[in-house]
Amino acid sequence: MLKKFIAFLVGLIGSFAALIAIAATLHVQPRGAFWLFLCVAVGLFATRFVSNPREHLEAASNVVRPAVKGWWALNPRLRLVLVAGFIWAVAAFLIQDQYERDLKWILIPPLALLALHFGESLMVRRKDAK
């Protein structure tokens, strides 16, 4: 019982500290009861996790395993396009001014890269040359 209570407090305080750190980084002030409910939910999840960690880790691995298999089953060129587009989107988001983010600069290059990849694979490359 004490272990569950300590896990709840660690989850509650840890999520509250993470929320404050993220809010301070983004220069926003979280207001309202939603943020408190979010911290309590993380605390309750920590309590459930401590009560039976093996069950939760096995459930998480059953979710992650197919995603990892699916990622490595993709074409290597498509994986490269996805990773490059993700890096571009994150870098463009972080470089821009925090009050005026231009989504065109963030989203259009990765989407154009995806369109070029699929256009090239459908129109230029022959079907037997894969």
Side-chain angles (χ1 to χ4, degrees):
M1 183 71 175
L2 182 63
K3 187 165 72 168
K4 289 183 180 180
F5 180 71
I6 291 172
F8 175 75
L9 284 179
V10 167
L12 178 74
I13 293 169
S15 63
F16 185 71
L19 175 69
I20 296 300
I22 291 169
T25 302
L26 297 175
H27 302 292
V28 296
Q29 295 178 351
R31 295 182 186 168
F34 170 75
W35 303 106
L36 178 64
F37 290 134
L38 182 68
C39 294
V40 170
V42 171
L44 290 174
F45 178 76
T47 304
R48 287 188 62 213
F49 181 76
V50 166
S51 68
N52 194 354
R54 170 170 265 152
E55 177 186 328
H56 292 288
L57 289 175
E58 286 175 0
S61 69
N62 290 338
V63 169
V64 170
R65 207 171 282 133
V68 170
K69 273 182 142 176
W71 171 257
W72 291 112
L74 290 175
N75 182 356
R77 294 179 65 203
L78 178 60
R79 288 195 314 252
L80 177 65
V81 166
L82 291 173
V83 169
F86 178 76
I87 290 172
W88 172 271
V90 170
F93 181 83
L94 293 175
I95 288 172
Q96 290 184 15
D97 184 27
Q98 64 187 359
Y99 298 108
E100 291 186 28
R101 301 210 193 272
D102 190 5
L103 290 179
K104 290 184 287 189
W105 282 101
I106 295 172
L107 296 177
I108 288 178
L111 292 175
L113 197 59
L114 273 172
L116 288 172
H117 169 73
F118 285 116
E120 189 267 341
S121 65
L122 290 174
M123 291 186 240
V124 176
R125 280 196 288 157
R126 293 178 41 203
K127 297 289 183 193
D128 59 340
K130 286 185 179 178

